Amino acid sequence: MSGPALSMHAIPLLLGCVTVAAQDAAPAAPRPLRKPRDSWTLQVGLAHSARDTDHYAVSGFQARFPLYALDRQEKSDRRGSIGLEVGMYPYPMISRAYVPGPDADPATPGKYNFWEAVGLSYYTPRMGPLQLEAGARLAFVNPAERVLTSPNGCGVSNRAESHCNEYIKESLKTLDSILFPSFRGARGVVTFVAAALMVKRIGVRLEMAQLNSGGSRVNARGLRLGLTAR
């Protein structure tokens, strides 16, 4: 058999071998599905009013429980999820009024505290270590009987100085505004967007939050930094 004729017979045989080999090759492993998970976050931060006349120290625990996965077939987080935001009573996310300056008065009138009780949020699917969030929470706004004061230059090294020691004492007198905050008072809405960088189930979270309220006319905006587990 001549060379060209042999090549013409060999080509179909070679294609057949390639086809059989491709069929016998193991399929690629499917990407594992990730279910929406509960989220637990401790945050701290600062917030300021639009005119920069009111200031708030923010801290507290926030939980989030997934309610509805947008991937209805697999119920995974492939398309994100809707979840219930819950302030972890008795120490939910609370913003306490503070007055800066060395002559700040703990009894300054016309100041408010607000805390975030419950809300809804959307979490995107994880994009590598990154996850994005957005949502809104119901806030309760109450007049502050005492405010935090923030004298200049107070820190760990000079906590024994008289004016700094007084600041610490006054701060301790406001603990009642952290634990078991009131459900009374005006109501407002805190809207937020956030991003979390996760390593397995632990991560850091940065949130931009905005409070708008009605009757009390309180507004505040600020950044919060937190640790999250989910």
Side-chain angles (χ1 to χ4, degrees), residues 74-104:
E74 302 290 346
K75 292 184 170 56
S76 71
D77 73 346
R78 185 168 56 94
R79 296 178 180 175
S81 66
I82 304 296
L84 177 68
E85 298 272 332
V86 179
M88 296 304 293
Y89 210 78
Y91 185 19
M93 192 66 56
I94 184 166
S95 299
R96 296 190 294 160
Y98 79 86
V99 179
D103 300 322

Side-chain angles (χ1 to χ4, degrees), residues 45-131:
L46 295 174
H48 310 279
S49 63
R51 297 181 180 179
D52 204 33
T53 55
D54 298 305
H55 312 278
Y56 303 88
V58 189
S59 63
F61 290 91
Q62 193 78 21
R64 193 257 192 188
F65 305 102
L67 295 177
Y68 187 86
L70 298 185
D71 176 14
R72 300 311 300 158
Q73 181 175 0
E74 302 290 346
K75 292 184 170 56
S76 71
D77 73 346
R78 185 168 56 94
R79 296 178 180 175
S81 66
I82 304 296
L84 177 68
E85 298 272 332
V86 179
M88 296 304 293
Y89 210 78
Y91 185 19
M93 192 66 56
I94 184 166
S95 299
R96 296 190 294 160
Y98 79 86
V99 179
D103 300 322
D105 182 2
T108 301
K111 302 298 181 182
Y112 294 85
N113 298 330
F114 63 92
W115 69 280
E116 298 159 38
V118 66
L120 292 174
S121 64
Y122 169 74
Y123 277 25
T124 68
R126 290 267 292 271
M127 297 167 281
L130 177 66
Q131 190 166 31

